[in-house]
Amino acid sequence: MATKAERIEDGILRVTLPLPSRPGHVHTYLLEGDDGWTLVDTGLGLPDAKERWAEELAGLDVRRIVITHMHPDHVGAAADVRELTGAEVLEGELDYQQCLLVWGNPEWPARIVTWFLRNGVPSAVANELLEVGFIYGSFIRYAEAPTPLHAGALVDGWEVVPMPGHADGQLCLFKDGVLVAADHLLTPISPAIGLYPESRPDPLGDYLASLERTIELDARLALGGHGARIDDPSGRARELLEHHRVRLARTAASLSAEPRSGYEVSLNLFGRELKPAARRFAVAETLSHLERLVLEGGAARADADSLVTYTAA
Ligand SMILES: [Zn+2]
């Protein structure tokens, strides 16, 4: 039996796995090296993940597993694939700390619900997270004690390039003009750039700098974690810079002298008709833009114990 993975080009295969929620699929990649294959990301730890990976990897000698970031659709089946292959798992240090903080921490769901409430999210919308998080939690089997990956290191000839923004610890791999981008660069959807508790203070600022870095890299091909391959990565990075410039302007235009919470501003930016999970993403995305505006001098934040609000500066 041989793998049915899709060939992208010499030495690069793509395995696409299903997701129960949008965008419905996640791409993982297999990179061929001198001593075997490197698997980049693992999909969600669905109940049949191990059997599925046994089929996908048939005939391939996987020597290492790189985790690009700790979101469920990337890290979720890491422990399963490690058990299956015996391969070494590599993950950024900051990313693994956040992985433990979020997925290995029974206190986390209450912590993040409190944080959403402080940002003005109605309790029904915030509390739904507890139920959903409970279901999702069983699909996340991250690998414990991974080998730390450092910026600039080489993994079988691929350079580790940090691209913080979508996740604080987001890592990409770069070689011969190919950027394995995971969720740093996507098309046609744009990567979610959200602010979360215990995360770096200015994820949008981080992301804009990562997009500039992408343009400098001048890759000929970027391979994202969702959606289509990107044959003009620098052009896509410029589009995303423009997308956030426009959204920052709309965020600024939503502010006045009257204090508004991140939730209230999100109603302006993303409309009023969102399901709870989508609303929480919208609020996190709104907050990353509000915090960038605060740093640029275009907004002011007032922190109170029960509510965080923003005004035009
Ligand atoms: Zn993803």
Side-chain angles (χ1 to χ4, degrees):
M1 199 165 64
T3 178
K4 300 188 294 295
E6 178 188 357
R7 182 182 171 280
I8 299 288
E9 58 180 61
D10 269 356
I12 304 179
L13 303 176
R14 180 165 84 176
V15 175
T16 301
L17 301 162
L19 292 181
S21 55
R22 293 218 302 166
H25 72 274
V26 58
H27 301 306
T28 66
Y29 295 92
L30 282 154
L31 311 174
E32 189 172 23
D34 295 335
D35 64 344
W37 292 81
T38 297
L39 172 66
V40 183
D41 287 338
T42 64
L44 201 57
L46 294 167
D48 65 344
K50 207 167 176 180
E51 292 76 47
R52 178 145 196 151
W53 273 115
E55 277 174 38
E56 297 287 358
L57 298 176
L60 301 179
D61 181 13
V62 173
R63 304 308 294 261
R64 55 194 79 73
I65 301 161
V66 169
I67 302 301
T68 64
H69 65 297
M70 45 68 79
H71 293 169
D73 48 330
H74 299 261
V75 78
D80 292 321
V81 193
R82 177 159 74 181
E83 278 170 33
L84 183 71
T85 59
E88 179 183 24
V89 175
L90 302 104
E91 184 174 0
E93 252 167 325
L94 171 65
D95 193 64
Y96 184 59
Q97 284 168 19
Q98 295 192 343
C99 188
L100 291 178
L101 177 74
V102 174
W103 309 124
N105 175 7
E107 312 286 310
W108 182 256
R111 168 87 180 79
I112 192 164
V113 164
T114 304
W115 181 84
F116 273 121
L117 293 172
R118 277 192 74 221
N119 283 290
V121 174
S123 55
V125 175
N127 282 317
E128 195 245 17
L129 181 78
L130 296 174
E131 301 147 41
V132 177
F134 197 70
I135 300 165
Y136 237 68
S138 62
F139 297 150
I140 300 159
R141 292 193 291 279
Y142 61 85
E144 285 179 20
T147 306
L149 268 183
H150 300 288
L154 290 181
V155 177
D156 211 21
W158 290 79
E159 184 190 343
V160 175
V161 185
M163 292 288 192
H166 173 72
D168 288 348
Q170 172 81 63
L171 297 177
C172 300
L173 296 176
F174 185 64
K175 190 176 91 166
D176 296 339
V178 178
L179 185 69
V180 180
D183 289 0
H184 163 59
L185 208 64
L186 302 173
T187 198
I189 57 173
S190 45
I193 310 298
L195 180 77
Y196 291 96
E198 320 280 341
S199 68
R200 282 170 57 81
D202 179 23
L204 182 58
D206 289 342
Y207 188 58
L208 299 176
S210 293
L211 290 173
E212 298 286 359
R213 170 100 172 90
T214 307
I215 294 168
E216 281 163 29
L217 273 183
D218 196 24
R220 64 179 169 82
L221 172 66
L223 300 170
H226 311 273
R229 58 181 273 157
I230 300 169
D231 289 301
D232 177 12
S234 303
R236 182 60 181 146
R238 286 191 193 91
E239 282 174 9
L240 289 166
L241 282 167
E242 176 63 10
H243 165 82
H244 288 292
R245 196 193 62 73
V246 170
R247 184 166 281 164
L248 274 170
R250 288 182 59 211
T251 308
S254 306
L255 296 175
S256 68
E258 181 199 332
R260 290 202 171 90
S261 67
Y263 170 75
E264 287 171 309
V265 176
S266 84
L267 298 176
N268 263 354
L269 292 179
F270 296 92
R272 309 188 85 89
E273 304 298 319
L274 288 181
K275 295 202 168 112
R279 174 61 61 194
R280 292 190 300 268
F281 274 111
V283 170
E285 183 94 17
T286 300
L287 288 169
S288 76
H289 288 71
L290 286 166
E291 286 297 315
R292 179 94 283 268
L293 282 178
V294 169
L295 289 165
E296 289 178 357
R301 177 191 343 103
D303 271 278
D305 277 350
S306 59
L307 193 63
V308 180
T309 55
Y310 297 84
T311 49

